């Protein structure tokens, strides 16, 4: 997996996990809230049904109260009471029924075939003894009971909420009931609505999550493209600077070879030729010997120039003795070459950096001395190399005329040396700071230890 793909994955993975966690939490809360709402609605429905049943039973007892309070228990009075109750109804499936305390059906207007039968042992579809429970409620003074009973309009068993009271004067149980299938239908509708709401909420969250993922992906892609373009542009600029640096180094090397070594070699060649001619004449042999001796001296100068050029390309002392010795040697050569007083001091441990960092600091010193010689007009230069437990700092200061460091570094055609110094330090993770004023310039380069 490529680095930018890893970054994209690390950006998307937490977002996906967070959205999934939010979706789970929202669904759990929605289901819990929906169940609470369903329970509340169910309780409200049942409370209204209970109040309605109590009201119906109260009306029924009032309709036969004059017969009950008369104190008569003859068959005619009982039949009249059952007739009055059989005529009372509410809704399509609302009616009253009467049982004695032994479970015998005395009056049932919607199912007259049950009248006269003993239903004490009757059980509903769940195996519950329906009549026994109703009688138990009546003996307790009255109350509510849930059970299954055949619904007249559909002729099928349906859940029913019954309410019964005793008529103790006659040994009766008077009751009525309301079928709850409409309540179950209403609750089922509520459940369906809640499921739909939860599903819509999750769909909205999924859509938002998808848009967020697309936005993050597109942003990451755009950022990658932008960074790629910026990196490509920087790479092109860097490649151009590398080529320019190479050409500049080749031009400098060409000048050194042409102005120094090449001229000396031509001069040596001419002197050797002249000395060879003089050797043929015995009278000229002393002059030929002097010419050869002068040629040897010039060859020594050529060797010194070759060593100088080689040292500038890659100082062997840097590899053999370390950065401090190489900088001290550089300061000495610059002192001899330019005539400017150069002081060098090293303190602490300065041999902890890798070779590439040592090379960069050495090149920084070379570039700084070259700039001082060309532009500063300084009479004194100080080079300090300080090592501590965190890293190494190189400080090069002079008392020259100074310059506009920011302006020169940002100029497209000037400040190539400064940009090279900065880019070299950035490449090894170091820091470069340049402070300049009319009183002089300070170049401070620092590289921290990686361990």
């Amino acid at each position: 997996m490529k680095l930018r793909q890893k970054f994209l994955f690390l950006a998307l993975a937490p977002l996906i996990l967070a959205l999934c966690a939010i979706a789970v939490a929202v669904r759990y809360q929605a289901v819990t809230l929906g169940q609470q709402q369903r329970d509340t609605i169910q309780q409200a429905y049942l409370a209204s049904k209970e109040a309605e049943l109590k009201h119906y039973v109260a009306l029924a007892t009032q309709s036969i109260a004059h017969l009950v309070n008369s104190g008569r228990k003859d068959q005619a009075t009982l039949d009249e009471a059952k007739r009055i109750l059989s005529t009372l109804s509410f809704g399509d499936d609302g009616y009253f029924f009467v049982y004695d305390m032994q479970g015998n059906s005395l009056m049932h207007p919607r199912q007259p075939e049950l009248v006269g039968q003993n239903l004490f042992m009757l059980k509903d579809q769940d195996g519950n003894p329906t009549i026994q429970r109703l009688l138990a409620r009546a003996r307790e003074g009255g109350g509510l009971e849930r059970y299954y009973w055949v619904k007249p309009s559909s002729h099928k068993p349906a859940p029913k909420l019954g309410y019964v009271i005793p008529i103790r004067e006659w040994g009766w149980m008077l009751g009525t009931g309301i079928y709850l299938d409409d309540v179950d239908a209403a609750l089922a509708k509520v459940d369906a609505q809640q499921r739909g709401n939860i599903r819509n909420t999750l769909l909205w969250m999924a859509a938002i999550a998808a848009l967020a993922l697309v936005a993050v992906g597109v942003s990451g892609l755009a950022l990658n493209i932008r960074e790629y373009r910026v990196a490509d542009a920087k790479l092109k600029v860097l490649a151009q600077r590398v080529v320019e640096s190479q050409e500049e180094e080749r031009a400098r090397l060409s000048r050194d070879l042409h102005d120094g070594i090449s001229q000396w070699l031509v001069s040596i060649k001419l002197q050797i030729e002249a000395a060879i001619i003089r050797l043929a004449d015995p009278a000229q042999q002393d002059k030929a010997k002097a010419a050869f001796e002068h040629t040897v001296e010039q060859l020594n100068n050529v060797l010194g120039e070759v060593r100088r050029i080689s040292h500038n390309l890659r100082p062997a002392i840097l590899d053999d003795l370390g950065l401090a010795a190489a900088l001290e040697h550089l300061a000495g050569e610059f002192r001899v070459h330019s005539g400017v007083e150069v002081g060098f001091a090293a303190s602490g441990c300065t041999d902890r950096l890798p070779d590439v960092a040592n090379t960069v600091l050495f090149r920084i010193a070379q570039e700084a001395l070259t700039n001082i010689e060309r532009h500063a007009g300084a009479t004194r230069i100080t080079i300090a190399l300080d090592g501590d437990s965190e890293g190494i700092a190189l400080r090069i200061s002079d008392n020259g005329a100074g310059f506009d460091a920011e302006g020169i570094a940002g100029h497209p055609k000037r400040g190539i040396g400064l940009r090279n110094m900065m880019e070299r330090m950035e490449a090894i993770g170091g820091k470069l700071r340049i402070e300049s004023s009319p009183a002089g310039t300070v170049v401070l380069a620092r590289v921290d230890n990686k361990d």
Side-chain angles (χ1 to χ4, degrees):
M1 185 180 291
K2 295 182 179 179
L3 183 59
R4 58 185 179 184
Q5 293 175 338
K6 291 181 179 179
F7 282 138
L8 187 61
F9 173 76
L10 292 176
L12 292 178
L15 178 61
I16 294 174
L17 292 177
L19 291 174
C20 291
I22 292 173
V24 171
V26 169
R27 187 181 185 281
Y28 173 78
Q29 292 295 331
V31 170
T32 303
L33 182 62
Q35 185 62 40
Q36 294 175 351
Q37 183 181 5
R38 186 184 190 280
D39 294 341
T40 302
I41 294 174
Q42 185 178 21
Q43 292 174 2
Y45 265 116
L46 293 179
S48 66
K49 297 296 184 182
E50 291 173 6
E52 186 179 353
L53 285 175
K54 292 178 181 180
H55 177 68
Y56 290 152
V57 172
L59 291 177
T61 55
Q62 290 176 6
S63 65
I64 62 172
H66 64 287
L67 296 175
V68 175
N69 295 333
S70 68
R72 293 178 295 174
K73 297 182 180 180
D74 58 280
Q75 190 63 42
T77 301
L78 298 178
D79 289 342
E80 177 63 14
K82 287 187 282 186
R83 185 193 65 79
I84 294 173
L85 292 174
S86 66
T87 59
L88 300 178
S89 63
F90 51 91
D92 295 332
D93 298 300
Y95 58 88
F96 293 90
F97 53 84
V98 177
Y99 287 81
D100 63 19
M101 290 303 175
Q102 288 73 41
N104 294 308
S105 176
L106 302 179
M107 189 272 294
H108 201 300
R110 299 300 176 91
Q111 291 178 285
E113 68 276 7
L114 298 179
V115 177
Q117 296 185 29
N118 186 291
L119 303 178
F120 188 81
M121 301 303 296
L122 181 66
K123 295 182 179 180
D124 63 11
Q125 64 184 32
D126 292 336
N128 299 316
T130 304
I131 303 302
Q132 292 181 36
R133 289 188 173 186
L134 291 174
L135 291 173
R137 290 292 183 190
R139 292 189 185 98
E140 293 173 357
L144 296 163
E145 186 69 31
R146 295 191 64 169
Y147 57 96
Y148 278 87
W149 198 266
V150 176
K151 188 174 184 180
S153 60
S154 64
H155 304 288
K156 295 180 179 179
K160 188 175 185 179
L161 180 65
Y163 183 75
V164 295
I165 61 171
I167 301 179
R168 301 186 189 279
E169 293 81 357
W170 294 342
W172 281 9
M173 176 187 70
L174 172 63
T176 187
I178 297 178
Y179 289 93
L180 300 178
D181 51 348
D182 57 338
V183 176
D184 292 340
L187 292 176
K189 185 177 181 181
V190 170
D191 291 339
Q193 290 176 346
Q194 290 174 350
R195 287 193 297 270
N197 291 336
I198 293 174
R199 182 178 63 255
N200 292 336
T201 300
L202 293 178
L203 288 176
W204 273 105
M205 291 187 63
I208 294 173
L211 291 176
L213 292 176
V214 170
V216 172
V218 171
S219 300
L221 182 61
L223 182 61
N224 283 335
I225 294 176
R226 178 179 175 276
E227 292 297 327
Y228 176 79
R229 290 178 178 174
V230 171
D232 186 60
K234 290 183 177 180
L235 185 60
K236 291 180 179 178
V237 172
L238 182 60
Q240 182 178 358
R241 289 182 181 176
V242 169
V243 172
E244 291 175 354
S245 299
Q246 290 176 341
E247 293 300 324
E248 183 179 354
E249 184 66 19
R250 288 172 181 172
R252 186 188 64 79
L253 184 59
S254 175
R255 287 194 301 270
D256 289 341
L257 292 175
H258 180 271
D259 296 341
I261 295 176
S262 178
Q263 292 180 4
W264 272 335
L265 290 177
V266 171
S267 176
I268 291 171
K269 174 180 176 294
L270 294 176
Q271 291 180 34
I272 291 175
E273 291 175 348
I276 291 173
I277 294 174
R278 289 173 178 172
L279 284 175
D281 185 357
Q284 298 286 330
Q285 288 184 356
D286 292 337
K287 293 183 178 180
K289 180 180 178 182
F292 280 121
E293 291 175 352
H294 182 64
T295 301
V296 171
E297 181 180 353
Q298 286 188 321
L299 283 174
N300 288 331
N301 292 334
V302 170
L303 291 175
E305 183 68 10
V306 170
R307 282 195 297 270
R308 184 186 69 81
I309 295 174
S310 175
H311 180 78
N312 288 335
L313 292 176
R314 177 68 185 180
I317 193 173
L318 180 63
D319 297 325
D320 297 336
L321 301 180
L323 179 61
L327 290 176
E328 185 175 11
H329 181 73
L330 177 66
E333 281 194 339
F334 187 82
R335 186 186 307 111
V336 173
H337 172 70
S338 65
V340 179
E341 182 181 355
V342 182
F344 175 78
S347 61
C349 182
T350 60
D351 58 356
R352 294 179 179 177
L353 296 180
D355 292 341
V356 63
N358 289 333
T359 301
V360 168
L361 290 178
F362 183 82
R363 295 304 183 194
I364 295 293
Q366 273 188 321
E367 187 68 34
L369 292 177
T370 301
N371 290 336
I372 293 172
E373 182 182 11
R374 290 179 180 176
H375 310 293
T379 59
R380 178 168 178 77
I381 302 172
T382 301
I383 302 175
L385 185 67
D386 298 320
D388 52 36
S389 59
E390 297 180 356
I392 292 179
L394 172 65
R395 188 177 188 274
I396 304 169
S397 60
D398 66 76
N399 62 351
F403 64 100
D404 182 7
E406 294 183 0
I408 294 296
H411 198 281
K413 295 183 178 180
R414 302 172 63 187
I416 296 178
L418 293 181
R419 287 196 295 272
N420 287 339
M421 294 165 65
M422 294 178 182
E423 289 171 359
R424 287 176 184 270
M425 292 300 296
E426 289 177 0
I428 61 172
K431 298 178 182 178
L432 179 70
R433 189 172 78 247
I434 300 176
E435 300 174 355
S436 186
S437 69
T441 301
V442 176
V443 177
L444 181 60
R446 180 172 181 84
V447 181
D448 293 330
N449 297 323
K450 298 301 182 180
D451 44 58

